[in-house]
Amino acid sequence: MALRPLRAARRALESMARGPYVALVGAATVFVAVFATGLFAGALGGAERLLAAWAGEVRVSVYLAPGADLERARAAAAALAPGRRVEAVPSEVALSRLADSLGEQAHVLEGVGPGALPDAVEIEAPGLSLDGARELAARLRSVPGADDVDYGTAWLEGVERFVARARTAAVFLFGALALATAILVSNTLRLAVFARREEIEIMKLVGATDAFVATPFLLEGLLQGLLGAGAAVLALAGVHGLLVPRLAAAVSAARALTLADTLPPALVVALVGGGAGIGLLGSALSVARALRRT
């Protein structure tokens, strides 16, 4: 006994209309799992975008050993960083800049001699990634007289390691949520299967195949998963519109955050597909259990 796709879809929709409570609970369960996963993934995507923005604003500084030739070091740095703005900063200029940055607290530098800070060569590298900054800093260590190289992103490296670990944790989070949600959806759909148990038994008695019986329930679970995942994606877009402007007001780098950073198309497809898969898996578990009993 074959079951046409349109007929199976119609039976699934009729079943959802007869039992809206079951359909809503199933879709809501998927919504929670997809929303939690999408929120975590979106936060990671935004963090990676902010890391790239912050890394692009750094200035690489080559601090020279006492007695090093500043002009020679500047020329060497310019050769190692072609196309970048390279500036030689004598000790007294560095001390003056430090005093300006301290503002009213500049009096703490009283009595500090001009040789307290080392001569330095500063390289401006706007738009440079964190990996690019590391590579440039490694090259600049060969500058004659270089004692230390600072590219101002040590704290960013710690954040980068955290984001990488969080990305791995997100995979396990989604796996755990998917399994738990599939079980919950399965238990919810058991109510629909139980309500139609007599109908299922009659269909089996007249020769209906397992596929004929199961297809409408599978489609029902698939539709619930799509509804829950679609609502979760819309909710995530709303969260982006609500939070990002407030974050941009507090952190200037966040002004570059777009919806494509926190909710890229690939993530949307994965969330919707994952939600549909969870619903389908939950309904398959429920129907398989019912068919074994009949």
Side-chain angles (χ1 to χ4, degrees):
M1 184 181 293
L3 184 62
R4 297 175 183 271
L6 290 179
R7 183 180 177 185
R10 185 174 67 251
R11 287 182 57 190
L13 291 173
E14 290 173 352
S15 176
M16 292 174 66
R18 288 197 301 268
Y21 171 78
V22 174
L24 287 175
V25 170
T29 305
V30 175
F31 170 87
V32 172
V34 173
F35 181 80
T37 304
L39 190 63
F40 195 55
L44 287 178
E48 290 176 346
R49 178 67 177 84
L50 289 178
L51 278 174
W54 279 324
E57 295 175 358
V58 301
R59 175 178 293 187
V60 183
S61 299
V62 181
Y63 299 109
L64 304 180
D69 188 332
L70 180 58
E71 184 55 34
R72 182 187 175 196
R74 189 206 65 79
L80 291 169
R84 304 292 184 182
R85 183 176 179 273
V86 180
E87 179 186 8
V89 183
S91 173
E92 57 273 13
V93 174
L95 186 61
S96 175
R97 290 179 179 177
L98 178 59
D100 292 340
S101 67
L102 291 175
E104 296 180 355
Q105 304 299 321
H107 65 273
V108 301
L109 298 177
E110 292 179 2
V112 177
L117 297 178
D119 293 338
V121 177
E122 293 186 350
I123 300 92
E124 293 184 2
L128 194 65
S129 67
L130 191 55
D131 288 336
R134 291 194 194 98
E135 182 183 352
L136 178 59
R139 292 202 309 269
L140 290 171
R141 295 185 190 281
S142 63
V143 169
D147 184 47
D148 190 20
V149 179
D150 177 28
Y151 51 102
T153 55
W155 68 276
L156 285 179
E157 292 182 348
V159 176
E160 184 184 45
R161 286 192 295 270
F162 172 79
V163 170
R165 292 169 183 168
R167 192 185 301 114
T168 303
V171 176
F172 290 100
L173 172 66
F174 179 74
L177 284 176
L179 179 60
T181 304
I183 294 173
L184 290 174
V185 171
S186 172
N187 290 333
T188 302
L189 286 173
R190 284 179 63 190
L191 298 175
V193 176
F194 181 78
R196 297 169 58 185
R197 64 189 185 283
E198 294 182 356
E199 177 185 346
I200 293 174
E201 291 174 357
I202 292 173
M203 286 190 293
K204 294 291 290 182
L205 288 174
V206 298
T209 63
D210 287 348
F212 182 90
V213 174
T215 299
F217 293 103
L218 295 177
L219 288 177
E220 188 175 344
L222 179 67
L223 290 173
Q224 290 179 17
L226 287 173
L227 287 174
V233 168
L234 292 177
L236 289 169
V239 170
H240 172 92
L242 183 66
L243 295 184
V244 169
R246 289 170 171 77
L247 181 61
V251 181
S252 59
R255 295 171 186 167
L257 280 177
T258 64
L259 186 60
D261 294 319
T262 58
L263 199 62
L267 178 59
V268 172
V269 172
L271 292 176
V272 174
I278 290 172
L280 187 61
L281 177 60
S283 61
L285 293 174
S286 178
V287 172
R289 186 182 306 171
L291 289 176
R292 282 197 303 269
R293 292 179 177 177
T294 57

